Protein backbone atom coordinates (compact mmCIF):
# COMPACT_ATOMS: atom_id res chain seq x y z
CA UNK A 1 0.00 0.00 0.00
CA UNK A 2 2.84 2.42 0.82
CA UNK A 3 4.43 1.53 -2.54
CA UNK A 4 1.14 2.29 -4.34
CA UNK A 5 0.92 5.71 -2.65
CA UNK A 6 4.54 6.51 -3.52
CA UNK A 7 3.93 5.49 -7.13
CA UNK A 8 0.84 7.74 -7.30
CA UNK A 9 2.83 10.71 -5.98
CA UNK A 10 5.66 10.07 -8.46
CA UNK A 11 3.24 9.67 -11.40
CA UNK A 12 1.39 12.82 -10.33
CA UNK A 13 4.67 14.75 -10.40
CA UNK A 14 5.52 13.44 -13.87
CA UNK A 15 2.05 14.27 -15.20
CA UNK A 16 2.20 17.79 -13.71
CA UNK A 17 5.64 18.33 -15.26
CA UNK A 18 4.40 17.12 -18.66
CA UNK A 19 1.37 19.40 -18.51
CA UNK A 20 3.61 22.38 -17.71
CA UNK A 21 5.85 21.52 -20.69
CA UNK A 22 2.89 21.43 -23.04
CA UNK A 23 1.25 24.73 -22.05
CA UNK A 24 1.32 27.94 -24.05
CA UNK A 25 0.10 26.65 -27.43
CA UNK A 26 2.53 23.75 -27.43
CA UNK A 27 5.51 25.78 -26.28
CA UNK A 28 6.42 24.58 -22.81
CA UNK A 29 8.88 25.28 -20.04
CA UNK A 30 11.80 23.20 -21.22
CA UNK A 31 14.18 21.84 -18.61
CA UNK A 32 11.87 22.41 -15.66
CA UNK A 33 11.17 18.75 -15.10
CA UNK A 34 12.88 15.78 -13.50
CA UNK A 35 15.88 15.88 -15.82
CA UNK A 36 16.53 19.60 -15.68
CA UNK A 37 18.77 20.75 -18.52
CA UNK A 38 18.39 17.56 -20.59
CA UNK A 39 16.55 17.34 -23.90
CA UNK A 40 12.75 17.32 -23.87
CA UNK A 41 10.47 16.11 -26.66
CA UNK A 42 7.81 18.73 -27.48
CA UNK A 43 5.34 19.36 -30.28
CA UNK A 44 6.15 22.94 -31.38
CA UNK A 45 4.33 25.22 -33.83
CA UNK A 46 6.35 25.57 -37.04
CA UNK A 47 6.11 29.34 -36.88
CA UNK A 48 7.83 29.38 -33.45
CA UNK A 49 11.01 27.77 -34.81
CA UNK A 50 13.60 30.07 -36.36
CA UNK A 51 15.51 28.51 -39.25
CA UNK A 52 18.56 30.79 -39.73
CA UNK A 53 20.22 28.54 -42.35
CA UNK A 54 17.09 27.92 -44.43
CA UNK A 55 18.08 30.37 -47.15
CA UNK A 56 21.62 29.00 -47.51
CA UNK A 57 20.77 25.36 -48.18
CA UNK A 58 18.48 23.80 -50.79
CA UNK A 59 16.50 20.70 -49.86
CA UNK A 60 16.31 17.68 -52.15
CA UNK A 61 12.71 17.81 -53.53
CA UNK A 62 12.60 14.01 -53.97
CA UNK A 63 13.58 13.45 -50.33
CA UNK A 64 10.98 16.00 -49.16
CA UNK A 65 8.29 14.20 -51.20
CA UNK A 66 9.27 10.82 -49.74
CA UNK A 67 9.10 12.28 -46.24
CA UNK A 68 5.71 13.85 -46.98
CA UNK A 69 4.35 10.45 -48.02
CA UNK A 70 5.82 8.77 -44.93
CA UNK A 71 4.65 11.46 -42.49
CA UNK A 72 1.14 11.39 -44.00
CA UNK A 73 1.02 7.62 -43.58
CA UNK A 74 2.78 6.93 -40.25
CA UNK A 75 3.67 10.32 -38.77
CA UNK A 76 7.08 11.77 -38.02
CA UNK A 77 9.35 9.03 -36.66
CA UNK A 78 12.39 11.10 -35.62
CA UNK A 79 11.97 14.52 -33.98
CA UNK A 80 14.00 17.44 -35.30
CA UNK A 81 16.68 18.93 -33.03
CA UNK A 82 15.89 22.40 -31.73
CA UNK A 83 17.97 24.72 -29.57
CA UNK A 84 16.24 26.97 -27.00
CA UNK A 85 18.16 30.21 -26.40
CA UNK A 86 16.68 33.11 -24.43
CA UNK A 87 13.11 31.94 -25.03
CA UNK A 88 13.55 31.49 -28.81
CA UNK A 89 13.64 28.15 -30.64
CA UNK A 90 16.28 27.62 -33.36
CA UNK A 91 16.36 24.69 -35.78
CA UNK A 92 19.53 23.75 -37.63
CA UNK A 93 18.85 20.14 -38.59
CA UNK A 94 15.79 18.32 -39.89
CA UNK A 95 15.44 20.66 -42.87
CA UNK A 96 13.72 18.06 -45.06
CA UNK A 97 11.37 16.98 -42.26
CA UNK A 98 10.54 20.62 -41.49
CA UNK A 99 9.77 21.40 -45.15
CA UNK A 100 7.67 18.22 -45.46
CA UNK A 101 5.56 19.40 -42.51
CA UNK A 102 5.19 22.84 -44.10
CA UNK A 103 4.13 21.42 -47.45
CA UNK A 104 1.64 19.07 -45.77
CA UNK A 105 0.11 22.07 -44.02
CA UNK A 106 0.81 20.66 -40.56
CA UNK A 107 0.86 23.35 -37.87
CA UNK A 108 3.32 21.62 -35.51
CA UNK A 109 6.35 19.34 -35.55
CA UNK A 110 7.81 17.03 -32.91
CA UNK A 111 11.12 18.41 -31.61
CA UNK A 112 13.91 17.32 -29.32
CA UNK A 113 14.58 20.59 -27.50
CA UNK A 114 17.85 21.36 -25.73
CA UNK A 115 18.72 24.51 -23.82
CA UNK A 116 21.64 26.47 -25.20
CA UNK A 117 23.59 29.66 -24.67
CA UNK A 118 24.21 32.54 -27.05
CA UNK A 119 27.70 31.12 -27.53
CA UNK A 120 26.21 27.78 -28.62
CA UNK A 121 23.96 29.63 -31.04
CA UNK A 122 26.93 31.56 -32.50
CA UNK A 123 28.77 28.25 -32.96
CA UNK A 124 25.86 26.86 -35.02
CA UNK A 125 25.76 29.99 -37.18
CA UNK A 126 29.43 29.73 -38.26
Amino acid sequence: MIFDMALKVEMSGIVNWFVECCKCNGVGNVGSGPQQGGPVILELPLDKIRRPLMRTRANDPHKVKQLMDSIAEIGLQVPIDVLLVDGEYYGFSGCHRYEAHQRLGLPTIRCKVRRGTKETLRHHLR
Side-chain angles (χ1 to χ4, degrees):
M1 180 154 176
I2 292 173
F3 176 78
D4 290 341
M5 287 175 51
L7 184 59
K8 276 185 182 178
V9 169
E10 179 65 23
M11 290 305 293
S12 174
I14 291 170
V15 168
N16 288 339
W17 171 76
F18 181 76
V19 168
E20 283 300 310
C21 286
C22 294
K23 284 183 178 176
C24 305
N25 295 326
V27 180
N29 300 321
V30 178
S32 62
Q35 296 182 354
Q36 191 165 6
V40 177
I41 305 296
L42 293 176
E43 193 80 18
L44 295 176
L46 292 175
D47 63 357
K48 297 288 185 191
I49 302 169
R50 295 179 180 214
R51 309 280 306 173
L53 303 178
M54 198 104 166
R55 290 170 181 70
T56 62
R57 299 179 182 165
N59 290 334
D60 176 350
H62 180 67
K63 186 174 179 180
V64 171
K65 176 67 172 117
Q66 287 179 319
L67 281 165
M68 288 173 65
D69 294 343
S70 173
I71 291 166
E73 185 175 329
I74 61 172
L76 182 64
Q77 298 301 297
V78 179
I80 65 170
D81 291 320
V82 173
L83 190 63
L84 174 61
V85 179
D86 292 339
E88 298 288 336
Y89 295 94
Y90 295 88
F92 295 96
S93 66
C95 298
H96 291 88
R97 288 170 282 167
Y98 183 90
E99 184 178 335
H101 273 68
Q102 279 184 319
R103 292 184 49 197
L104 286 167
L106 299 173
T108 63
I109 188 167
R110 189 174 314 116
C111 304
K112 181 165 57 171
V113 181
R114 299 175 193 272
R115 283 189 181 273
T117 63
K118 288 182 180 177
E119 182 58 35
T120 307
L121 181 59
R122 278 191 288 274
H123 174 75
H124 281 285
L125 292 171
R126 291 182 193 156

